[in-house]
Amino acid sequence: NTKKQEHNDIGFLQYFKNLSKSHFIIPGFEMEVKVKPEMVIENAFDRMHFRTVHSILNEPKFEVMESQWGEYRVTGVFKVPQSAWQKDGNSQASSIDVPYEAIAFSPYIVISQLKGSNPYFVITSAREISDTMSKIYLSIAIPNERFSIEEVPLYKYLISQSEKGLLLDKQIWENLDLNGISRFQKSEKSVIGFQKFKNQF
């Protein structure tokens, strides 16, 4: 049904078309996990897990932004250690603040951006492949003006870091009590908002 597809697109095709013009899209990896695909995408909006699972240095505050096309969007700031990819002018600083934005275009695709001095996008989608399993697809996007063949090892580093992060998430997803009752705190409004968003589909 073409009309239904257009309704459910809510801006993804145009957004991705613009992104692919201004960025190099670099294919990453696929991963099978024992979890529903919606939970994979929800993770991008779960601010409380970033410090405990992914070892960022703060518990970020997420602000739910106004929708432009019907998408679900949040912003926040991550405090992260300086790394091979993210650096600032002060080589003595142990950490830097990196603005973060995540945009869900459906319960099955999210595009997140880490800005800072060396910005890039992470494109994550998930689809159900059985009643209990999903397949995740992850790629990154590097701004055209920053892309360089000499920095391919750094791009591989970014993809590797994303894969390591998802493997940590996988350990949690595959040990969840799916019969448990979810009780969200007020501070988890970004997850609550995603739950409402996904119910539109």
Side-chain angles (χ1 to χ4, degrees), residues 101-117:
E101 180 178 52
I103 307 173
F105 293 93
S106 81
Y108 313 106
I109 184 163
V110 61
I111 297 181
S112 52
Q113 183 182 20
L114 286 164
K115 301 179 182 179
S117 61

Side-chain angles (χ1 to χ4, degrees), residues 130-198:
S130 75
D131 289 343
T132 59
M133 297 291 294
S134 297
K135 180 170 280 191
I136 302 171
Y137 305 85
L138 187 142
S139 298
I140 65 171
I142 306 297
N144 288 342
E145 65 273 14
R146 291 178 175 268
F147 181 84
S148 168
I149 294 297
E150 288 74 22
E151 292 198 338
V152 165
L154 274 178
Y155 309 146
K156 290 182 177 179
Y157 164 81
L158 285 180
I159 292 168
S160 172
Q161 290 299 102
S162 293
E163 186 171 20
K164 288 177 182 177
L166 276 176
L167 286 171
L168 292 173
D169 291 323
K170 181 178 180 179
Q171 292 179 33
I172 295 172
W173 290 329
E174 296 190 345
N175 288 282
L176 287 174
D177 178 5
L178 298 178
N179 295 315
I181 299 173
S182 297
R183 291 185 174 90
F184 295 110
Q185 303 174 28
K186 287 184 179 179
S187 59
E188 296 177 278
K189 64 179 183 179
S190 53
V191 173
I192 296 169
F194 178 77
Q195 294 274 336
K196 292 178 179 177
F197 168 77
K198 76 175 186 180

